[in-house]
Amino acid sequence: NMFIPHLAQMLQKAKIPYECGITTSVGNEPIDQLISFRNTEYFLRLADGRLLTYPRGPVAPGTVDADLQGRKAIVCTDQKKHMNSDMVENFTIPVSKAEDNRSLSTVKATIDGTLMNIDRTMSLTGTQKEGLNMQLSNGYDQVGVFILPTDTKYKTVEDVFKSEKADHQKERFQRQREAQQDNFKQEIADYADSKPVSVGECKMLSMGNKSINDAFVYETNYTMDGYVKKAGPNLIVSVGKLIGSQLTVEGKDRKRSADIHRSAPITIEHDIYLTIPNGYQVSAESLAQLNTSVSNDCATFKAKAGTEGNQLHLHVTKIYQHQQEPVANWNKLLQVVDAAANYTQKQVMLRRK
C-alpha cells in the first residue's frame, strides 16, 4: 500500500517534520523476529509523538488501531541516513487506557403489554469504534463526512450527485442504505442475543472522525418479546437483558493455562431508563437486588439502581483494565465475567398499586 509513502511526500512538501517507522500487527511475528516484509506495517511519527498509520476506516489522524497497540516498532530518527544503526530507535507503540475505549449505551425502554419498546443510542470512542464505523455507515454517510467539509461548492450530499452521470452513484448508495439497515438489524440481534419482533428507524448520528476523542454515535429502535411477563396483577421485567449479551465461560473453559490477551482495555457503560407503567410501582425488594459490585485490580463490574419519578434508572459499568493479563489473574477476570453474565438474569417486579 502506497498510502504512507504518499503521505510522507505531502508532509515533506508542507515542511512538516516526521520520522518513518515500521512495525507488525497482532497475529504476525514481532518486528525484531521478522520473517517476511509482507507482514509489516509502515507508519510516520510526528514531532509531537503522534503516529500516523494506514487508516482502516473513517478515523481521525493519529488514531492507532488496537492491533498495533503494544507492538514493538522501529523508527528511523534521521531521514537522511536511512536506517543507519545509529539513527534507529526501538520502542513499543503505546497501549490506550480503558477510559479511552468507551462504549456507552443509553436505553429508553417502555412496556407495551408483554412487549418492550427500546430506543438505544450507542456512543463509541477509541478502539470500540473499530469495525462498526464501517459496518453501520455507508458511502452516502462518508461523502457527507469527507467531501462537504473540504469542498465549498457542495452544501449537501445530494448536491454532489445532481448530474445525470451520477445516477449510478445514487442507485449504488440506495443499495448501500438498504444493506445498512440490514446491518443495523444484525447489530440489534447481536446486542440482544435474539431477534427483535420489529425494527424501527435506525441511523448513524456521528461518524466520530474529526478528532481522536470524537465518538461514533448511532441510534436503534426496536421491540423485543420475552422481556415482560405477567404474574397475577403484577409484571416481572427482565431488566438485566437490557445490558445486552454477555460472555459466559462454562465447563472446561473455566480452566486456563495461557495468558489472557484482549484487543485493548475497555470501559462499557449502560444508562438504562425504564418507564414504569401507570398504576404500577417498583418492588423495593427486587430493586435492591439490582445493585451489585465486583472489583479487583484487573476488572470491575458494578450496577446501581434507583427510581426517578416514573422511571427505573440503572447505571451499569464494566471495565477491563489491561490489554494483557497473566494466567494467574484468570480467576479475577472470571469474577467479573460471571457477574456480568449473571446480571442479564436480573428481574424487577412492578407491583399493581
Side-chain angles (χ1 to χ4, degrees):
N1 188 288
M2 295 302 294
F3 176 82
I4 293 298
H6 287 323
L7 180 59
Q9 291 176 0
M10 295 170 65
L11 293 177
Q12 284 180 349
K13 291 180 179 179
K15 297 183 179 180
I16 297 174
Y18 68 90
E19 299 165 340
C20 289
I22 187 171
T23 186
T24 60
S25 61
V26 171
N28 290 315
E29 65 272 23
I31 194 67
D32 57 355
Q33 301 174 28
L34 190 63
I35 297 172
S36 172
F37 272 98
R38 292 183 177 181
N39 298 332
T40 57
E41 298 265 351
Y42 291 90
F43 64 89
L44 304 178
R45 185 170 70 178
L46 301 182
D48 61 5
R50 280 186 298 166
L51 303 183
L52 302 181
T53 63
Y54 175 79
R56 292 166 171 80
V59 297
T63 299
V64 178
D65 278 18
D67 63 358
L68 297 181
Q69 294 184 19
R71 301 294 291 176
K72 294 180 180 179
I74 300 172
V75 69
C76 180
T77 57
D78 189 334
Q79 299 305 305
K80 294 181 180 180
K81 298 181 179 180
H82 298 286
M83 293 304 178
N84 180 298
S85 60
D86 294 333
M87 298 300 173
V88 169
E89 176 189 338
N90 294 279
F91 76 107
T92 299
I93 296 176
V95 177
S96 53
K97 298 179 180 178
E99 56 264 33
D100 299 325
N101 309 314
R102 183 170 177 259
S103 167
L104 170 63
S105 65
T106 302
V107 174
K108 296 180 180 179
T110 57
I111 295 172
D112 182 7
T114 57
L115 298 177
M116 182 177 288
N117 300 319
I118 298 171
D119 294 335
R120 174 168 54 87
T121 300
M122 299 295 298
S123 176
L124 311 175
T125 62
T127 62
Q128 292 290 80
K129 293 187 281 189
E130 293 180 16
L132 280 176
N133 58 1
M134 289 296 288
Q135 177 185 344
L136 298 181
S137 64
N138 58 37
Y140 188 90
D141 299 320
Q142 293 168 22
V143 166
V145 168
F146 292 112
I147 293 182
L148 297 188
T150 58
D151 198 324
T152 57
K153 68 180 180 180
Y154 300 122
K155 293 184 179 179
T156 68
V157 176
E158 284 72 16
D159 291 340
V160 181
F161 303 106
K162 280 185 176 178
S163 70
E164 293 181 3
K165 295 180 180 179
D167 285 345
H168 70 285
Q169 288 283 17
K170 294 179 183 178
E171 294 174 2
R172 183 166 66 90
F173 283 162
Q174 180 58 36
R175 292 194 299 270
Q176 288 182 348
R177 282 177 166 177
E178 293 170 359
Q180 181 185 37
Q181 290 306 305
D182 290 338
N183 290 338
F184 272 119
K185 291 177 183 178
Q186 186 61 54
E187 188 277 348
I188 293 168
D190 291 342
Y191 182 92
D193 202 22
S194 61
K195 291 185 178 180
V197 174
S198 62
V199 177
E201 183 183 10
C202 301
K203 56 186 177 181
M204 189 197 72
L205 301 180
S206 173
M207 188 75 80
N209 69 323
K210 292 184 179 179
S211 70
I212 292 178
N213 295 323
D214 282 351
F216 174 69
V217 185
Y218 63 92
E219 182 180 273
T220 56
N221 299 275
Y222 51 99
T223 299
M224 299 297 298
D225 195 6
Y227 284 36
V228 183
K229 295 179 181 179
K230 292 184 177 180
N234 306 317
L235 297 176
I236 303 296
V237 184
S238 297
V239 291
K241 291 183 177 181
L242 292 173
I243 70 170
S245 176
Q246 300 293 316
L247 173 68
T248 57
V249 181
E250 300 174 333
K252 296 180 180 178
D253 290 337
R254 295 188 68 84
K255 294 183 179 180
R256 189 180 180 97
S257 58
D259 291 343
I260 302 97
H261 179 89
R262 296 190 58 81
S263 60
I266 58 172
T267 296
I268 299 175
E269 292 185 78
H270 304 270
D271 252 334
I272 298 170
Y273 299 88
L274 171 68
T275 299
I276 302 168
N278 290 333
Y280 290 87
Q281 61 185 8
V282 178
S283 159
E285 296 85 357
S286 62
L287 179 64
Q289 294 178 12
L290 297 178
N291 295 297
T292 187
S293 180
V294 177
S295 185
N296 53 56
D297 55 344
C298 301
T300 295
F301 181 86
K302 58 183 179 181
K304 185 177 181 180
T307 55
E308 302 171 4
N310 70 334
Q311 290 190 323
L312 168 65
H313 180 210
L314 302 179
H315 187 82
V316 181
T317 303
K318 180 170 63 174
I319 302 172
Y320 291 108
Q321 294 284 7
H322 309 120
Q323 186 189 54
Q324 299 186 50
E325 295 283 0
V327 67
N329 289 340
W330 175 234
N331 286 334
K332 293 181 180 180
L333 290 176
L334 276 182
Q335 292 173 6
V336 170
V337 169
D338 291 345
N342 292 337
Y343 201 81
T344 63
Q345 305 303 311
K346 295 285 187 180
Q347 298 177 324
V348 67
M349 176 178 284
L350 303 182
R351 295 187 184 277
R352 192 77 181 183
K353 293 182 181 179

